Amino acid sequence: MAGEPVNVNEFEELARKVLPKIYYDFFSGGAEDQYTLKQNIEAFRRITIRPRILVDVSKIDMSTIILGHKTSAPIIVAPTSSHQLAHPEGEVATARGAAACNVIMGVAFTSTCTMEEVASSCKAVRFIQTFAFKREITANMVQRAERNGFRAIILTADTPRLGRKEADIKNKMIAPPFKNFEGLISTEAVSDKGSNVEAYAAETLDPSFCWKDIAWLKSITKLPILIKGVLTGEDATKAIEAGVAGIIVSNHGARQLDYTPATISVLEEVVHAVQGKVPVLLDGGIRRGTDIFKALALGAKAVLIGRPVIYGLGAKGETGVKQVIEMLKNELERTMALAGCRTVDDITRSHVNTETERLLCRM
């Protein structure tokens, strides 16, 4: 590829060339057959846009408010692990890039920089992500998050145990020390048939964590809780009953259970179940501004961007993170203008056609 990347997909190729194969595979890979990994992206291509013409689009406003925080666009940097495997500055560089673009940064508790280092690096609005960890780990995380100015908790609820990523097994992937766990568990690399990833999971995750435990989590924090990993209307209803502040439709970037549906294909089911009671966000498969537009049209308040940000970080550090976010913002702005939408609130369900609707029209 010659010259500067002109879209987000080209950053993946740059990252592939720069990163050691074991780390590129770690970031890019999905579970088992990687069916869901492919479908997360392919499903967007089966949705078409229904534009409106002759609308005054001389000014486009992409700003939105997420849990009371105004951002420049309906984009959140997804909480992903181990950024120092992509770039030495790790999550600090990612956070600075997000802050420069005025979007919210999701910080994984399994980050390679501490949450304190990320918090002191910039003034981005930050949400902390946690898994269903054992209670003493979760309580420590909550206290530190509140002390360091994080604004919300993202509870990733689809990981009672780790999915099976075969590339990591073949590569004998060794997870880096997760600094947020220092003093809580052993952070030394433990040999587990060549990998310490499963050993980390066994020492930290609580597979008994269930819906009733959200009440406990709410009791130890004043921060709003978003639940990530919802793929059905049934679970969306349970999440509302549990009192969460928001729902993230996600299949964990296709890294957990293979053959789950593409997130964009179940977004409407979740939105209908929620009935506007809390914001619904979409995670998975976003590679274009048109993808963001489609997600918003189907009811998402915002989208989370995971791998593309990592690829930008790996290719160019903080600058790459900024370039990826700005590319997506610029593409969304252009899409809105060409579709006749001046604000994100102007993007409605009537602006897209799904594959199912097109098939019904032919009958």
Side-chain angles (χ1 to χ4, degrees):
M1 182 180 66
E4 284 287 303
V6 296
N7 59 55
V8 164
N9 291 316
E10 292 185 355
F11 266 101
E12 179 174 2
E13 181 61 19
L14 282 180
R16 188 185 66 79
K17 291 178 179 178
V18 170
L19 297 178
K21 181 179 183 300
I22 186 173
Y23 296 157
Y24 172 77
D25 288 352
F26 170 72
F27 290 124
S28 67
E32 297 185 350
D33 295 330
Q34 302 190 122
Y35 169 84
T36 299
L37 182 68
K38 299 180 183 75
Q39 288 302 308
N40 269 353
I41 295 173
E42 288 296 322
F44 277 101
R45 298 174 181 172
R46 296 191 287 269
I47 300 169
T48 56
I49 296 172
R50 303 178 68 244
R52 307 294 190 273
I53 60 173
L54 296 180
V55 176
D56 179 1
V57 290
S58 55
K59 291 182 180 179
I60 300 293
D61 182 6
M62 296 184 293
S63 66
T64 192
I65 297 175
I66 303 169
L67 296 185
H69 306 291
K70 186 172 183 180
T71 69
S72 64
I75 292 171
I76 296 174
V77 173
T80 51
S81 176
S82 309
H83 288 204
Q84 283 185 342
L85 299 184
H87 189 275
E89 294 181 358
E91 289 81 5
V92 165
T94 309
R96 287 174 177 160
C101 298
N102 188 19
V103 298
I104 294 170
M105 166 78 176
V107 181
F109 197 65
T110 53
S111 59
T112 41
C113 299
T114 66
M115 65 171 75
E116 289 81 6
E117 289 170 336
V118 176
S120 63
S121 69
C122 61
K123 293 184 178 180
V125 174
R126 299 173 303 276
F127 295 172
I128 188 69
Q129 176 269 344
T130 182
F131 291 96
F133 289 129
K134 294 172 182 176
R135 288 197 174 192
E136 61 271 22
I137 297 174
T138 301
N140 173 277
M141 178 277 299
V142 166
Q143 292 165 4
R144 291 165 62 193
E146 292 182 343
R147 193 163 59 239
N148 285 279
F150 286 80
R151 303 298 183 87
I153 294 170
I154 298 173
L155 172 63
T156 297
D158 57 10
T159 312
R161 59 188 295 180
L162 292 182
R164 190 170 188 268
K165 294 175 65 228
E166 294 176 1
D168 290 349
I169 295 169
K170 289 179 180 178
N171 291 333
K172 297 185 177 180
M173 174 66 193
I174 301 292
F178 297 136
K179 293 183 180 178
N180 284 317
F181 288 105
E182 288 179 358
L184 297 172
I185 65 167
S186 170
T187 56
E188 294 300 313
V190 179
S191 177
D192 178 24
K193 296 182 180 178
S195 170
N196 69 338
V197 179
E198 287 284 354
Y200 259 120
E203 197 169 352
T204 59
L205 295 176
D206 177 6
S208 71
F209 193 102
C210 56
W211 287 107
K212 64 179 176 59
D213 294 303
I214 292 179
W216 169 78
L217 181 57
K218 289 181 66 179
S219 76
I220 65 168
T221 183
K222 296 177 181 177
L223 296 176
I225 298 167
L226 299 105
I227 190 165
K228 180 172 176 280
V230 172
L231 291 172
T232 65
E234 294 92 328
D235 275 350
T237 299
K238 288 181 178 179
I240 296 297
E241 291 170 352
V244 301
I247 290 173
I248 302 174
V249 178
S250 173
N251 52 36
H252 209 111
R255 297 164 77 88
Q256 281 296 103
L257 178 62
D258 202 13
Y259 293 95
T260 54
T263 50
I264 190 66
S265 71
V266 296
L267 173 60
E268 273 200 292
E269 177 184 339
V270 173
V271 168
H272 289 157
V274 169
Q275 298 180 331
K277 293 173 184 173
V278 299
V280 176
L281 315 179
L282 180 92
D283 171 57
I286 300 287
R287 297 296 184 273
R288 287 282 190 180
T290 48
D291 296 339
I292 302 173
F293 183 94
K294 293 171 185 179
L296 298 181
L298 290 171
K301 181 70 173 177
V303 300
L304 280 72
I305 311 295
R307 287 184 179 90
V309 169
I310 288 288
Y311 298 144
L313 178 68
K316 294 188 172 188
E318 179 185 334
T319 297
V321 172
K322 288 189 285 190
Q323 287 181 324
V324 163
I325 296 170
E326 289 299 330
M327 275 182 179
L328 290 171
K329 286 171 63 175
N330 291 338
E331 288 182 6
L332 174 60
E333 182 181 36
R334 186 179 296 272
T335 301
M336 289 172 62
L338 294 176
C341 297
R342 291 170 289 192
T343 71
V344 291
D345 289 337
D346 292 335
I347 304 171
T348 66
R349 181 61 179 83
S350 67
H351 282 96
V352 293
N353 257 344
T354 63
E355 184 178 34
T356 300
E357 288 168 327
R358 293 198 302 277
L359 290 172
L360 288 173
C361 286
R362 294 173 189 170
M363 294 174 67

